[in-house]
Amino acid sequence: MLDVKRHDNVYVDAPSPPPLRPAELVFHACRGALLSPLCWLLAYRFPTPGLRFRRMSALMGIRSLIRSTRMSVLRSAYNLLFYPMDSTRYFEFDALWDFLTARFPLSGRYLDISSPRLFPLSVLDKNPDVDAVLMNPDPSDLDATKSLARLLKLDGRCEFSDNLIGDLKKADESFDIISSVSVFEHILEDRAAIERAWSLLKKGGTLLLSVPCAAKSCEQFINENFYGVLTPDERGYVFWQRIYDESLLEKNIFSVTGPPVRISIYGEVSPGILSRNFEKKRASRAYPFWAEPVIMGRHFRRYDSISALPGEGVAAMELTKR
């Protein structure tokens, strides 16, 4: 049984909808191909971040299709073309990319800790003098990253690892840049993981990090054991993620790294939007992911501080090792 009751606990039920029938799947895919460009265009009416990543991902999708027409590649290219991101990833990618591009062109060693593959592969694509270690403890997800890296001809500069951060066999101060997009909140012992990541960073190096946040922290438990590595409690729930407030960020992250050089905060304009969106995504396999850029633009905005958030949000941070 988990012993992580340090904050308010929130219990989340994850429904398991049936898979779409072949005709439904084809209809859903065609609808997405038609409506995704329209939603992308409409998003420019709002202050939606991350639209440059839509352009970069679309170009990756086209390059993938040029090099292969295998079914697995077609699926990957479809996602890159029509809905490569969802939810606050639009902001996280955009903010961390802004922090990083101030240093372009990059060189040296780069570690990515389980971020959605679009971000680290974009870093490699734009910086030919960078070699990377891409980590992901989910073997199937790591295989998909390997396949896309091969198609984009980036695999020659990549080492792939299915280790957890605490098990990565690399010497201290091995990396010039480390990134991790919305990962550490899912790690039960997050402070120990931050300590290990910080030890891997060279002096003068940069850690790019994003985590969910709110004015008041909480820990969320879910009734689905995604990776089978945690023991469910007596109700069948396992630890899913923590939502950080300013105090918890200071205690679990900044006490190790020091304060961020830069921080950017983005969140819902009214409480409950993220949780309702999550429920819709989990309840139906026909959720219209292509509408996400419009949803982000209409219902989210930037905030000056975490304490000003009316509901859930996300903090993107640049941390430099002195």
Side-chain angles (χ1 to χ4, degrees):
M1 181 176 173
L2 296 171
D3 184 19
V4 293
K5 189 174 181 180
R6 297 188 295 265
H7 321 284
D8 290 344
N9 290 348
V10 176
Y11 291 87
V12 179
D13 291 319
S16 298
L20 296 176
R21 296 190 294 270
E24 293 173 325
L25 185 61
V26 170
F27 176 74
H28 181 65
C30 292
R31 191 164 63 118
L34 290 171
L35 294 180
S36 178
L38 177 61
C39 289
W40 185 358
L41 183 63
L42 285 174
Y44 281 98
R45 293 185 56 196
F46 307 99
T48 303
L51 296 181
R52 67 180 124 179
F53 269 93
R54 288 298 305 264
R55 294 193 298 273
M56 287 193 284
S57 67
L59 290 172
M60 285 184 179
I62 292 168
R63 286 160 60 189
S64 299
L65 288 173
I66 290 170
R67 289 170 181 159
S68 177
T69 55
R70 289 183 290 113
M71 183 57 67
S72 60
V73 174
L74 291 175
R75 289 194 205 98
S76 174
Y78 181 91
N79 289 338
L80 287 167
L81 285 164
F82 299 121
Y83 41 89
M85 301 173 285
D86 74 313
S87 192
T88 57
R89 301 296 178 271
Y90 278 88
F91 163 76
E92 292 167 273
F93 286 6
D94 198 64
L96 296 179
W97 192 258
D98 275 343
F99 297 161
L100 197 57
T101 50
R103 298 169 174 261
F104 276 12
L106 303 174
S107 60
R109 295 283 287 164
Y110 168 47
L111 170 66
D112 181 78
I113 305 170
S114 302
S115 301
R117 67 184 63 87
L118 178 58
F119 187 85
L121 291 180
S122 296
V123 172
L124 285 167
D125 200 38
K126 299 297 183 184
N127 296 277
D129 293 326
V130 170
D131 294 319
V133 176
L134 305 184
M135 291 180 56
N136 194 323
D138 182 343
S140 61
D141 203 38
L142 187 63
D143 284 344
T145 301
K146 291 178 184 177
S147 297
L148 184 55
R150 280 194 296 270
L151 280 170
L152 299 174
K153 298 187 176 178
L154 300 173
D155 56 315
R157 294 189 280 126
C158 293
E159 176 186 341
F160 301 95
S161 171
D162 61 0
N163 286 313
L164 298 170
I165 182 62
D167 299 326
L168 185 65
K169 306 299 184 186
K170 297 292 180 184
D172 288 353
E173 300 191 4
S174 290
F175 298 98
D176 301 278
I177 298 168
I178 299 175
S179 63
S180 189
V181 179
S182 279
V183 173
F184 280 86
E185 68 270 17
H186 298 293
I187 301 174
L188 196 57
E189 298 298 335
D190 57 339
R191 193 179 191 280
I194 286 287
E195 288 175 343
R196 177 55 180 150
W198 199 243
S199 75
L200 290 167
L201 191 65
K202 294 179 182 178
K203 286 192 169 114
T206 296
L207 171 61
L208 300 171
L209 185 67
S210 66
V211 295
C213 57
K216 183 181 179 182
S217 66
C218 71
E219 290 183 337
Q220 296 181 343
F221 296 77
I222 196 165
N223 64 342
E224 185 172 343
N225 198 354
F226 293 104
Y227 305 115
V229 297
L230 297 175
T231 302
D233 64 15
E234 66 277 3
R235 297 172 57 185
Y237 290 82
V238 298
F239 174 76
W240 180 33
Q241 65 175 359
R242 60 179 54 81
I243 310 296
Y244 294 81
D245 59 12
E246 291 173 341
S247 174
L248 193 59
L249 278 177
E250 179 63 42
K251 178 182 176 184
N252 288 17
I253 297 177
F254 301 156
S255 63
V256 176
T257 65
V261 175
R262 287 187 283 180
I263 184 169
S264 190
I265 299 154
Y266 190 69
E268 354 175 87
V269 297
S270 59
I273 294 170
L274 273 174
S275 60
R276 289 194 295 273
N277 234 19
F278 174 78
E279 290 170 4
K280 290 177 183 177
K281 291 169 189 174
R282 301 295 298 181
S284 172
R285 298 187 190 273
Y287 177 84
F289 281 97
W290 52 82
E292 292 280 286
V294 175
I295 294 170
M296 288 294 106
R298 290 184 61 194
H299 300 294
F300 291 76
R301 70 173 182 87
R302 296 175 188 269
Y303 290 86
D304 292 331
S305 68
I306 292 172
S307 59
L309 287 166
E312 284 188 48
V314 64
M317 298 164 279
E318 178 184 3
L319 301 143
T320 299
K321 190 171 184 179
R322 305 297 183 188

